[in-house]
Structures are given as structure tokens and as C-alpha cells.
Coordinates of all heavy atoms in Angstrom, one line a residue:
A1 N 73.3 288.5 108.6 CA 73.8 289.2 107.5 C 74.5 288.3 106.5 O 74.6 288.6 105.3 CB 74.5 290.4 107.9
Q2 N 75.1 287.3 107.0 CA 75.9 286.4 106.1 C 75.0 285.3 105.5 O 75.5 284.7 104.6 CB 77.1 285.8 106.9 CG 78.2 286.7 107.2 CD 79.3 286.0 107.9 OE1 79.2 284.8 108.3 NE2 80.4 286.7 108.1
H3 N 73.9 285.0 105.9 CA 73.1 284.0 105.5 C 72.8 284.1 104.0 O 72.9 283.1 103.2 CB 71.8 283.8 106.3 CG 72.1 283.4 107.7 ND1 72.6 282.1 107.9 CD2 71.8 283.9 108.9 CE1 72.8 282.0 109.2 NE2 72.3 283.1 109.8
P4 N 72.3 285.3 103.5 CA 72.2 285.4 102.0 C 73.4 285.2 101.2 O 73.3 284.6 100.1 CB 71.6 286.8 101.8 CG 71.0 287.1 103.2 CD 71.8 286.4 104.2
Q5 N 74.5 285.6 101.7 CA 75.8 285.4 101.0 C 76.2 283.9 100.9 O 76.6 283.5 99.9 CB 76.9 286.3 101.6 CG 76.7 287.7 101.5 CD 77.7 288.5 102.2 OE1 78.3 288.0 103.1 NE2 77.6 289.8 102.1
Q6 N 76.0 283.2 102.0 CA 76.3 281.8 102.0 C 75.3 281.0 101.3 O 75.6 280.0 100.6 CB 76.4 281.3 103.5 CG 77.4 281.9 104.3 CD 77.4 281.5 105.7 OE1 76.4 280.9 106.2 NE2 78.5 281.8 106.4
F7 N 74.1 281.4 101.2 CA 72.9 280.7 100.6 C 73.0 280.9 99.0 O 72.6 280.1 98.2 CB 71.6 281.1 101.1 CG 70.4 280.3 100.6 CD1 70.3 279.0 101.0 CD2 69.5 280.8 99.8 CE1 69.3 278.3 100.6 CE2 68.4 280.2 99.4 CZ 68.3 278.8 99.9
R8 N 73.6 282.0 98.7 CA 73.6 282.4 97.3 C 74.3 281.4 96.3 O 73.9 281.2 95.3 CB 74.3 283.8 97.1 CG 74.3 284.3 95.8 CD 75.0 285.8 95.7 NE 74.3 286.7 96.5 CZ 74.8 287.6 97.4 NH1 76.2 287.7 97.4 NH2 74.1 288.4 98.1
R9 N 75.3 280.7 96.9 CA 76.0 279.8 96.0 C 75.1 278.6 95.6 O 75.4 277.9 94.7 CB 77.2 279.3 96.8 CG 77.0 278.3 97.9 CD 78.3 277.8 98.5 NE 78.9 278.8 99.2 CZ 79.7 278.7 100.1 NH1 80.2 277.5 100.4 NH2 80.3 279.7 100.7
Y10 N 74.0 278.4 96.3 CA 73.1 277.3 96.0 C 71.9 277.8 95.2 O 71.0 277.1 94.7 CB 72.6 276.6 97.2 CG 73.8 276.0 98.0 CD1 74.1 276.6 99.2 CD2 74.5 274.9 97.6 CE1 75.2 276.2 100.0 CE2 75.5 274.4 98.3 CZ 75.9 275.1 99.6 OH 77.0 274.6 100.3
S11 N 71.7 279.0 95.1 CA 70.5 279.7 94.5 C 70.3 279.2 93.0 O 69.2 279.0 92.6 CB 70.5 281.2 94.6 OG 71.7 281.7 93.9
A12 N 71.4 279.1 92.2 CA 71.1 278.8 90.8 C 70.6 277.3 90.7 O 69.8 277.0 89.8 CB 72.4 278.9 90.1
Y13 N 71.1 276.4 91.6 CA 70.7 275.1 91.6 C 69.3 274.9 92.0 O 68.5 274.1 91.5 CB 71.5 274.2 92.6 CG 73.0 274.3 92.2 CD1 73.9 274.9 93.0 CD2 73.5 273.6 91.0 CE1 75.2 274.9 92.6 CE2 74.8 273.6 90.7 CZ 75.7 274.3 91.4 OH 77.0 274.4 91.1
L14 N 68.8 275.7 93.0 CA 67.4 275.7 93.5 C 66.5 276.1 92.4 O 65.4 275.7 92.1 CB 67.3 276.5 94.7 CG 67.9 275.9 95.9 CD1 67.9 277.0 97.1 CD2 67.1 274.6 96.4
L15 N 66.9 277.3 91.8 CA 66.0 277.8 90.7 C 66.0 276.9 89.5 O 65.0 276.7 88.8 CB 66.6 279.2 90.3 CG 66.3 280.3 91.3 CD1 67.1 281.6 90.9 CD2 64.8 280.5 91.5
S16 N 67.1 276.3 89.2 CA 67.2 275.3 88.1 C 66.2 274.0 88.4 O 65.4 273.7 87.5 CB 68.5 274.7 87.9 OG 68.6 273.7 87.0
D17 N 66.2 273.6 89.6 CA 65.3 272.5 90.0 C 63.8 273.0 89.9 O 62.9 272.2 89.4 CB 65.6 272.0 91.4 CG 66.8 271.2 91.5 OD1 67.3 270.8 90.4 OD2 67.3 271.0 92.6
Y18 N 63.6 274.3 90.3 CA 62.2 274.8 90.3 C 61.7 274.9 88.8 O 60.6 274.5 88.4 CB 62.2 276.2 90.8 CG 60.9 276.9 90.7 CD1 59.6 276.4 91.3 CD2 60.8 278.0 90.0 CE1 58.4 277.0 91.1 CE2 59.5 278.6 89.8 CZ 58.4 278.1 90.4 OH 57.2 278.8 90.2
I19 N 62.6 275.4 87.9 CA 62.2 275.5 86.5 C 62.0 274.1 85.9 O 61.1 273.9 85.1 CB 63.3 276.3 85.8 CG1 63.2 277.8 86.2 CG2 63.1 276.2 84.2 CD1 64.3 278.7 85.8
H20 N 62.9 273.1 86.1 CA 62.8 271.7 85.6 C 61.4 271.2 86.2 O 60.7 270.5 85.5 CB 63.9 270.9 86.0 CG 65.1 271.1 85.2 ND1 66.2 271.8 85.7 CD2 65.4 270.9 83.9 CE1 67.1 271.9 84.8 NE2 66.6 271.4 83.7
L21 N 61.0 271.5 87.4 CA 59.8 271.0 87.9 C 58.6 271.6 87.1 O 57.6 270.9 86.8 CB 59.6 271.5 89.4 CG 58.4 270.9 90.2 CD1 58.4 269.4 90.3 CD2 58.4 271.6 91.5
L22 N 58.7 273.0 86.8 CA 57.7 273.6 86.0 C 57.6 272.9 84.7 O 56.5 272.8 84.0 CB 57.9 275.1 85.9 CG 57.8 275.9 87.1 CD1 58.1 277.4 86.8 CD2 56.3 275.7 87.6
Q23 N 58.8 272.6 84.0 CA 58.7 272.0 82.7 C 58.2 270.6 82.7 O 57.6 270.3 81.6 CB 60.3 271.8 82.2 CG 60.9 273.1 81.7 CD 62.3 272.9 81.3 OE1 63.1 272.3 81.9 NE2 62.6 273.6 80.2
S24 N 58.2 270.0 83.7 CA 57.6 268.5 83.9 C 56.1 268.6 83.7 O 55.5 267.6 83.4 CB 58.1 267.8 85.2 OG 57.4 268.4 86.2
G25 N 55.5 269.7 84.1 CA 54.0 269.9 84.0 C 53.3 269.1 85.1 O 52.0 269.1 85.0
S26 N 53.9 268.6 86.1 CA 53.3 268.0 87.2 C 52.9 268.8 88.4 O 52.6 268.3 89.4 CB 54.2 266.8 87.6 OG 55.4 267.2 88.2
V27 N 53.0 270.1 88.3 CA 52.8 271.1 89.3 C 51.4 271.7 89.1 O 51.1 272.2 88.1 CB 53.8 272.2 89.4 CG1 53.5 273.1 90.6 CG2 55.3 271.6 89.5
T28 N 50.6 271.6 90.2 CA 49.3 272.2 90.2 C 49.4 273.7 90.4 O 50.5 274.2 90.8 CB 48.4 271.6 91.4 OG1 49.0 272.0 92.6 CG2 48.2 270.1 91.2
T29 N 48.4 274.5 90.0 CA 48.5 276.0 90.1 C 48.6 276.3 91.5 O 49.3 277.4 91.9 CB 47.3 276.6 89.5 OG1 46.1 276.1 90.0 CG2 47.3 276.4 88.0
D30 N 48.0 275.6 92.5 CA 48.0 276.0 93.9 C 49.5 275.7 94.4 O 50.1 276.6 95.1 CB 47.1 275.1 94.7 CG 45.6 275.5 94.5 OD1 45.4 276.6 94.0 OD2 44.8 274.6 94.7
A31 N 50.1 274.6 93.9 CA 51.5 274.3 94.5 C 52.4 275.3 93.8 O 53.3 275.8 94.4 CB 51.8 273.0 94.0
K32 N 52.2 275.6 92.6 CA 53.1 276.7 91.9 C 53.0 277.9 92.5 O 54.1 278.6 92.8 CB 52.7 276.8 90.4 CG 53.5 277.8 89.7 CD 53.0 278.0 88.3 CE 53.8 279.1 87.6 NZ 53.2 279.6 86.3
A33 N 51.8 278.4 93.0 CA 51.7 279.7 93.6 C 52.5 279.7 95.1 O 53.1 280.7 95.4 CB 50.2 280.0 93.9
A34 N 52.4 278.6 95.7 CA 53.1 278.5 97.0 C 54.6 278.5 96.8 O 55.3 279.1 97.5 CB 52.7 277.2 97.7
I35 N 55.0 277.6 95.9 CA 56.5 277.5 95.7 C 57.1 278.8 95.0 O 58.3 279.1 95.3 CB 56.7 276.4 94.7 CG1 56.3 275.0 95.4 CG2 58.3 276.2 94.3 CD1 56.4 273.8 94.5
Q36 N 56.3 279.5 94.2 CA 56.8 280.7 93.5 C 57.2 281.8 94.4 O 58.3 282.5 94.2 CB 55.7 281.2 92.6 CG 56.2 282.3 91.6 CD 55.2 282.6 90.6 OE1 54.0 282.6 90.8 NE2 55.7 282.8 89.4
K37 N 56.5 281.9 95.6 CA 57.0 282.9 96.7 C 58.4 282.6 97.0 O 59.2 283.5 97.3 CB 56.0 282.9 97.7 CG 54.7 283.5 97.4 CD 53.7 283.4 98.6 CE 52.3 283.8 98.2 NZ 51.4 283.7 99.2
G38 N 58.7 281.3 97.2 CA 60.1 280.9 97.6 C 61.1 281.1 96.5 O 62.2 281.6 96.8
A39 N 60.6 280.9 95.2 CA 61.5 281.2 94.2 C 61.8 282.7 94.0 O 63.0 283.1 93.7 CB 60.9 280.7 92.9
F40 N 60.9 283.5 94.3 CA 61.1 285.0 94.3 C 62.1 285.4 95.4 O 62.9 286.2 95.2 CB 59.8 285.7 94.5 CG 58.8 285.8 93.3 CD1 57.5 286.1 93.4 CD2 59.4 285.5 92.0 CE1 56.7 286.1 92.4 CE2 58.5 285.4 91.0 CZ 57.1 285.7 91.2
A41 N 62.0 284.7 96.6 CA 62.9 285.0 97.7 C 64.3 284.6 97.3 O 65.3 285.3 97.6 CB 62.4 284.3 98.9
V42 N 64.5 283.5 96.6 CA 65.8 283.1 96.1 C 66.2 284.0 95.0 O 67.5 284.4 95.0 CB 65.7 281.6 95.5 CG1 67.1 281.2 94.9 CG2 65.4 280.6 96.7
L43 N 65.4 284.5 94.1 CA 65.8 285.5 93.1 C 66.4 286.7 93.8 O 67.2 287.4 93.2 CB 64.7 285.7 92.2 CG 64.5 284.8 91.0 CD1 63.2 285.1 90.2 CD2 65.8 285.0 90.1
N44 N 65.7 287.1 94.9 CA 66.1 288.3 95.6 C 67.5 288.3 96.0 O 68.1 289.3 96.1 CB 65.1 288.5 96.8 CG 65.0 289.9 97.2 OD1 65.1 290.8 96.4 ND2 64.9 290.1 98.5
I45 N 68.0 287.2 96.4 CA 69.5 287.2 96.9 C 70.4 286.9 95.8 O 71.6 287.0 96.0 CB 69.7 286.1 98.0 CG1 69.4 284.7 97.5 CG2 68.8 286.4 99.2 CD1 69.8 283.6 98.4
C46 N 70.0 286.6 94.5 CA 70.8 286.4 93.4 C 71.5 287.6 92.9 O 70.9 288.7 93.0 CB 70.1 285.7 92.2 SG 69.6 284.0 92.6
T47 N 72.7 287.4 92.4 CA 73.4 288.5 91.7 C 73.4 288.1 90.2 O 72.8 287.1 89.8 CB 74.8 288.6 92.1 OG1 75.6 287.4 91.8 CG2 74.9 288.9 93.6
E48 N 73.9 289.0 89.4 CA 74.0 288.7 87.9 C 74.9 287.5 87.7 O 74.5 286.8 86.7 CB 74.6 289.9 87.2 CG 73.6 291.1 87.2 CD 72.3 290.8 86.4 OE1 72.3 290.2 85.4 OE2 71.2 291.3 86.9
F49 N 75.7 287.2 88.5 CA 76.6 286.0 88.3 C 75.7 284.7 88.4 O 75.8 283.8 87.6 CB 77.6 285.9 89.3 CG 78.5 284.7 89.2 CD1 79.4 284.5 88.2 CD2 78.3 283.6 90.1 CE1 80.1 283.3 88.1 CE2 79.0 282.4 90.0 CZ 80.0 282.3 89.0
E50 N 74.8 284.6 89.4 CA 74.0 283.5 89.5 C 72.9 283.4 88.5 O 72.6 282.4 87.9 CB 73.2 283.5 90.9 CG 74.1 283.1 92.0 CD 75.0 284.2 92.6 OE1 74.6 285.4 92.2 OE2 76.1 284.0 93.2
H51 N 72.4 284.6 87.9 CA 71.5 284.6 86.8 C 72.2 284.0 85.6 O 71.6 283.2 84.8 CB 71.0 286.0 86.5 CG 70.1 286.6 87.5 ND1 69.6 287.9 87.5 CD2 69.6 286.0 88.7 CE1 68.8 288.0 88.5 NE2 68.8 286.9 89.3
A52 N 73.5 284.6 85.3 CA 74.2 284.0 84.2 C 74.5 282.5 84.3 O 74.4 281.7 83.2 CB 75.5 284.8 83.9
Q53 N 74.8 282.1 85.4 CA 75.1 280.6 85.6 C 73.9 279.8 85.4 O 74.0 278.8 84.7 CB 75.6 280.5 87.1 CG 76.0 279.1 87.5 CD 76.4 278.9 88.9 OE1 76.0 279.8 89.7 NE2 77.1 277.9 89.2
L54 N 72.8 280.3 85.9 CA 71.6 279.5 85.6 C 71.2 279.5 84.1 O 70.8 278.5 83.6 CB 70.4 280.2 86.4 CG 69.0 279.6 86.3 CD1 69.0 278.2 86.7 CD2 68.0 280.3 87.1
Y55 N 71.4 280.7 83.4 CA 70.9 280.8 82.1 C 71.8 279.9 81.2 O 71.3 279.4 80.2 CB 71.1 282.3 81.6 CG 70.3 282.7 80.5 CD1 68.9 282.8 80.6 CD2 70.9 282.8 79.2 CE1 68.2 283.1 79.5 CE2 70.1 283.1 78.1 CZ 68.8 283.4 78.2 OH 68.1 283.7 77.2
R56 N 73.0 279.6 81.6 CA 73.9 278.8 80.9 C 73.5 277.3 80.8 O 73.7 276.6 79.9 CB 75.3 278.9 81.3 CG 76.1 280.0 80.8 CD 77.6 280.0 81.1 NE 77.9 279.9 82.6 CZ 78.2 280.8 83.3 NH1 78.1 282.0 82.9 NH2 78.4 280.6 84.6
V57 N 72.9 276.9 82.0 CA 72.5 275.5 82.0 C 71.1 275.0 81.6 O 70.8 273.9 81.4 CB 72.7 274.9 83.5 CG1 74.1 275.0 84.0 CG2 71.8 275.6 84.4
L58 N 70.3 276.1 81.3 CA 69.0 275.8 80.9 C 68.9 275.7 79.4 O 69.5 276.2 78.6 CB 68.0 277.1 81.3 CG 67.8 277.2 82.8 CD1 67.0 278.6 83.0 CD2 67.1 276.1 83.5
D59 N 67.8 274.8 79.0 CA 67.6 274.6 77.6 C 66.7 275.8 77.2 O 66.4 276.8 77.9 CB 66.9 273.3 77.3 CG 65.6 273.1 78.0 OD1 65.2 274.0 78.8 OD2 65.0 272.0 77.9
A60 N 66.2 275.9 75.9 CA 65.4 276.9 75.3 C 64.1 277.1 76.1 O 63.8 278.2 76.4 CB 65.1 276.7 73.8
N61 N 63.4 276.1 76.5 CA 62.2 276.2 77.2 C 62.4 276.7 78.7 O 61.7 277.6 79.2 CB 61.4 274.8 77.3 CG 60.9 274.5 76.0 OD1 60.6 275.3 75.1 ND2 60.6 273.2 75.8
G62 N 63.5 276.2 79.2 CA 63.9 276.6 80.5 C 64.2 278.1 80.6 O 63.9 278.9 81.5
K63 N 64.8 278.6 79.5 CA 65.3 279.9 79.5 C 64.0 280.9 79.3 O 64.0 281.9 79.9 CB 66.2 280.3 78.2 CG 67.6 279.7 78.5 CD 68.4 279.8 77.3 CE 69.7 279.2 77.5 NZ 70.6 279.2 76.4
M64 N 63.0 280.4 78.6 CA 61.7 281.2 78.5 C 61.0 281.2 79.8 O 60.6 282.1 80.2 CB 60.8 280.5 77.4 CG 61.2 280.8 76.0 SD 60.0 280.1 74.7 CE 58.8 279.3 75.6
L65 N 61.0 280.1 80.6 CA 60.4 280.0 81.9 C 61.2 280.9 82.7 O 60.5 281.6 83.6 CB 60.3 278.6 82.4 CG 59.3 277.7 81.8 CD1 59.6 276.3 82.3 CD2 57.9 278.1 82.1
F66 N 62.5 280.9 82.7 CA 63.3 281.8 83.6 C 63.1 283.2 83.3 O 62.9 284.1 84.2 CB 64.7 281.5 83.5 CG 65.6 282.3 84.4 CD1 65.5 282.4 85.7 CD2 66.4 283.2 83.8 CE1 66.3 283.2 86.5 CE2 67.2 284.2 84.6 CZ 67.1 284.1 86.0
K67 N 62.9 283.6 82.1 CA 62.6 285.0 81.7 C 61.2 285.5 82.2 O 61.1 286.6 82.8 CB 62.7 285.2 80.2 CG 64.1 285.2 79.6 CD 64.0 285.4 78.1 CE 65.4 285.3 77.5 NZ 65.4 285.5 76.0
A68 N 60.3 284.6 82.1 CA 58.9 284.9 82.6 C 58.9 285.0 84.2 O 58.3 285.9 84.6 CB 58.0 283.8 82.1
L69 N 59.6 284.1 84.8 CA 59.7 284.1 86.2 C 60.4 285.4 86.7 O 60.1 286.1 87.6 CB 60.5 282.9 86.8 CG 60.8 282.8 88.3 CD1 59.4 282.6 89.0 CD2 61.7 281.8 88.6
H70 N 61.6 285.7 86.0 CA 62.3 287.0 86.4 C 61.5 288.2 86.2 O 61.5 289.1 87.0 CB 63.6 287.0 85.6 CG 64.5 288.0 86.2 ND1 64.6 289.2 85.6 CD2 65.4 287.9 87.3 CE1 65.6 289.9 86.3 NE2 66.0 289.2 87.3
S71 N 60.7 288.2 85.0 CA 59.9 289.5 84.8 C 58.8 289.6 85.8 O 58.4 290.7 86.2 CB 59.4 289.5 83.3 OG 58.6 288.4 83.1
E72 N 58.2 288.5 86.2 CA 57.2 288.5 87.2 C 57.7 289.0 88.5 O 57.2 289.6 89.3 CB 56.4 287.2 87.3 CG 55.2 287.2 88.1 CD 54.4 285.9 88.0 OE1 54.6 285.2 87.2 OE2 53.5 285.8 88.9
Y73 N 58.9 288.4 88.8 CA 59.6 288.8 90.1 C 59.8 290.2 90.1 O 59.6 291.0 91.1 CB 61.0 288.1 90.1 CG 62.0 288.8 91.0 CD1 61.9 288.6 92.4 CD2 63.1 289.4 90.5 CE1 62.8 289.2 93.3 CE2 64.0 290.0 91.3 CZ 63.9 289.9 92.7 OH 64.8 290.5 93.6
L74 N 60.4 290.9 89.0 CA 60.6 292.3 89.0 C 59.2 293.1 89.1 O 59.2 294.2 89.7 CB 61.2 292.7 87.6 CG 62.7 292.2 87.5 CD1 63.2 292.5 86.1 CD2 63.6 292.8 88.6
R75 N 58.2 292.6 88.5 CA 56.9 293.3 88.5 C 56.2 293.1 89.9 O 55.6 294.2 90.4 CB 56.1 292.7 87.4 CG 54.7 293.5 87.2 CD 53.9 293.0 86.0 NE 53.4 291.6 86.2 CZ 53.9 290.5 85.6 NH1 54.8 290.6 84.6 NH2 53.5 289.3 85.9
E76 N 56.3 292.0 90.5 CA 55.4 291.7 91.6 C 56.2 291.7 92.9 O 55.5 292.0 93.9 CB 54.7 290.4 91.5 CG 53.8 290.3 90.3 CD 52.6 291.0 90.4 OE1 52.1 291.3 91.5 OE2 52.1 291.5 89.3
Y77 N 57.4 291.4 92.9 CA 58.0 291.0 94.3 C 59.1 292.1 94.7 O 59.3 292.4 95.8 CB 58.7 289.6 94.2 CG 59.2 289.1 95.5 CD1 58.3 288.5 96.5 CD2 60.6 289.2 95.8 CE1 58.8 288.1 97.7 CE2 61.0 288.7 97.1 CZ 60.2 288.1 97.9 OH 60.6 287.7 99.1
K78 N 60.0 292.4 93.7 CA 61.2 293.3 94.0 C 60.7 294.6 94.4 O 59.9 295.2 93.9 CB 62.1 293.4 92.9 CG 63.4 294.1 93.1 CD 64.3 294.0 92.0 CE 65.6 294.7 92.4 NZ 66.6 294.6 91.5
F79 N 61.3 295.0 95.5 CA 61.1 296.4 96.0 C 61.7 297.4 95.2 O 63.0 297.4 94.9 CB 61.6 296.5 97.5 CG 61.3 297.9 98.1 CD1 60.1 298.2 98.5 CD2 62.3 298.7 98.3 CE1 59.9 299.5 99.0 CE2 62.2 300.0 98.9 CZ 60.9 300.3 99.2
T80 N 61.0 298.4 94.7 CA 61.4 299.4 93.8 C 61.4 300.8 94.5 O 61.9 301.8 94.0 CB 60.7 299.5 92.6 OG1 59.3 299.8 92.8 CG2 60.9 298.2 91.7
G81 N 60.8 300.9 95.8 CA 60.6 302.2 96.4 C 59.4 302.9 96.0 O 59.2 304.0 96.5
K82 N 58.6 302.4 95.0 CA 57.4 303.1 94.6 C 56.3 302.4 95.4 O 56.2 301.3 95.7 CB 57.2 302.9 93.1 CG 58.2 303.5 92.2 CD 58.0 303.3 90.8 CE 59.1 303.8 90.0 NZ 59.0 303.4 88.6
V83 N 55.3 303.4 95.7 CA 54.1 302.9 96.4 C 53.0 303.0 95.4 O 52.8 303.8 94.6 CB 53.8 303.7 97.6 CG1 52.5 303.3 98.3 CG2 55.0 303.7 98.6

């Protein structure tokens, strides 16, 4: 039960690295699909504090990528209770 809480402090850094990797353009679509599942899992343990922390360090392109990633996370990954 404590693992997500302990891991949360590193989540903004992991997501920042993932977004910078996407910005570099050196990621194939297969690799992106595989890594994206992990990014969704990291987003799942984040709170608004980590989102704000990440948003502060990203440039304009990074913010756009993060918004797209977060909206896809909400649409595809996050449990909403609807079937």
C-alpha cells in the first residue's frame, strides 16, 4: 500500500523524461505503445501536485504532449466505473 506513495515523488521526473523522449522524435510507434502503458500507470499514482510540478518544468511543446497524454489517459486508462 505504501509503494505508490513512495514512488509518487519520482513520478514527475519519469513523466518528464518520457515527454522529452517523445519530443526527440527517436521513438518508434511500437516502442511508444509499449512505454505509454507504463506512463499511464505512473499517471495513475500522480496527484494534482505532481501534475503541477511537471507542468512547471515543461516547455510549450512538452505541455502540449502532456495534455495529449493526460487526455488519452483519462479516455483510455483511468477507471471511471462505467462499462
Side-chain angles (χ1 to χ4, degrees):
Q2 289 184 349
H3 294 294
Q5 293 171 349
Q6 293 172 349
F7 190 68
R8 187 177 296 141
R9 73 177 71 160
Y10 304 108
S11 61
Y13 301 109
L14 291 170
L15 290 170
S16 175
D17 287 344
Y18 173 67
I19 290 170
H20 285 106
L21 185 66
L22 291 178
Q23 285 180 318
S24 71
S26 62
V27 181
T28 64
T29 55
D30 292 335
K32 180 183 173 191
I35 297 171
Q36 193 170 33
K37 292 176 185 177
F40 287 162
V42 173
L43 273 171
N44 200 36
I45 64 168
C46 287
T47 64
E48 288 299 318
F49 175 77
E50 285 81 20
H51 290 179
Q53 182 183 17
L54 177 62
Y55 203 74
R56 279 193 301 269
V57 299
L58 294 174
D59 61 0
N61 290 335
K63 289 176 184 177
M64 283 186 357
L65 285 171
F66 177 66
K67 285 180 184 178
L69 177 71
H70 193 263
S71 66
E72 189 170 348
Y73 159 75
L74 292 174
R75 186 177 66 247
E76 300 290 331
Y77 188 82
K78 186 173 181 178
F79 178 72
T80 58
K82 297 178 184 175
V83 178

